[in-house]
Amino acid sequence: MSTIPPTIARSWLLLPADKSERFDAAADSEMDVVVLDVEDGCRQSEKERARREVRQWLEAGNHAWVRINDVRSPEWEKDLMALGHCPGLDGVMLAKTENPEHVSLTAARLAPDTPIVALVESADGLAAATEIAKTDQVVRLAFGIGDYRRDTGIGSSQIALAYTRSQFVVSSRVARVAPPIDGPTISNDTQVLMDAAEHAVEMGMTGKLCLRVDQAPYINEVLSPSAADVSWAGSVIDELGPGGERCRDGADLPRLARAQKIAHLAQAYAVVR
């Protein structure tokens, strides 16, 4: 099970919660975060069984996040009653978040300090993204591309969604939370997946939702500092000093800050120089 904190987690697997036979393999995979999905990933007729099996698995000493139904769904209260205080619950991904109140109502029904990722999937949610991100217990925003496109009629190309992705990044920065998590890539083509992840990085996003376990190594590679980045960072820190004691002028400070960030991520992701 990954020990990478959610604020810098790269790969987020959405795993249907009615497939309990796949829980162990997912937990043992290269995914940074496993999210057991009792919302859209789970058939309506199977939700009650799924909640029961998720709870049993967590109570057996396992850990995972859970994606719960949205606040307006009758399943939301059932999800929280069954799982909100369950041992092993690392965090909650809240579907179809559209305003800060959705987060506050959810947080009030969770164990104290349970982290929340707000999944924004509509124009209303995007318009309120900054205020949502400022809400207590929100650690990141995530982009629900499918429902967002259905709500807005926007296409799937990079240019069509560029404004939306930028809004996620800006809102996260204004709220002083970690950069956002991009939506999933449906294609089975590895190059398409890596291109999408590289585009997410270019847009300022630092995580990506995944639909299959085998996507983890590709996502993690693209969203991690490269060996060249790590080598550069090490050289800068050696030159300027870990605390900037050898900085010559103000121009050195941004370079050192970037190098320190890369070095921190490299250590967390076990990327070698």
Side-chain angles (χ1 to χ4, degrees), residues 151-213:
D151 181 53
T152 61
I154 291 175
S156 62
S157 69
Q158 291 182 354
I159 192 168
L161 293 169
Y163 170 81
T164 303
R165 288 191 168 103
S166 292
Q167 286 294 102
F168 272 93
V169 172
V170 171
S171 291
S172 298
R173 180 59 188 151
V174 170
R176 299 298 189 265
V177 298
I181 303 163
D182 196 21
T185 297
I186 307 300
S187 175
N188 292 326
D189 187 312
T190 299
Q191 191 57 54
V192 171
L193 175 68
M194 294 186 74
D195 288 346
E198 287 170 0
H199 178 67
V201 172
E202 183 73 13
M203 295 300 297
M205 307 178 105
T206 59
K208 190 165 178 63
L209 298 177
C210 302
L211 301 177
R212 302 192 316 275
V213 168

Side-chain angles (χ1 to χ4, degrees), residues 44-212:
Q44 182 65 38
S45 61
E46 298 298 324
K47 287 184 184 289
E48 190 59 43
R49 177 178 65 83
R51 281 189 287 262
R52 182 171 63 254
E53 292 185 351
V54 167
R55 184 174 184 87
Q56 289 171 350
W57 189 77
L58 293 174
E59 288 179 337
N62 299 294
H63 290 262
W65 282 59
V66 174
R67 175 163 82 163
I68 64 172
N69 288 270
D70 69 275
V71 171
R72 288 163 296 198
S73 166
E75 301 297 327
W76 171 78
E77 189 76 51
K78 296 176 184 176
D79 292 342
L80 290 166
M81 288 181 65
L83 303 169
H85 290 259
C86 190
L89 179 67
D90 288 337
V92 162
M93 183 173 289
L94 178 61
K96 300 178 177 63
T97 309
E98 293 195 333
N99 56 62
E101 185 181 15
H102 286 179
V103 177
S104 299
L105 289 170
T106 300
R109 290 162 172 78
L110 293 168
D113 300 322
T114 300
I116 296 172
V117 166
L119 186 61
V120 175
E121 308 180 68
S122 67
D124 287 341
L126 184 66
T130 301
E131 295 310 310
I132 290 169
K134 288 180 177 180
T135 310
D136 288 346
Q137 294 182 227
V138 170
V139 294
R140 288 174 92 170
L141 300 176
F143 184 14
I145 293 178
D147 281 324
Y148 178 82
R149 290 186 55 225
R150 193 156 42 243
D151 181 53
T152 61
I154 291 175
S156 62
S157 69
Q158 291 182 354
I159 192 168
L161 293 169
Y163 170 81
T164 303
R165 288 191 168 103
S166 292
Q167 286 294 102
F168 272 93
V169 172
V170 171
S171 291
S172 298
R173 180 59 188 151
V174 170
R176 299 298 189 265
V177 298
I181 303 163
D182 196 21
T185 297
I186 307 300
S187 175
N188 292 326
D189 187 312
T190 299
Q191 191 57 54
V192 171
L193 175 68
M194 294 186 74
D195 288 346
E198 287 170 0
H199 178 67
V201 172
E202 183 73 13
M203 295 300 297
M205 307 178 105
T206 59
K208 190 165 178 63
L209 298 177
C210 302
L211 301 177
R212 302 192 316 275

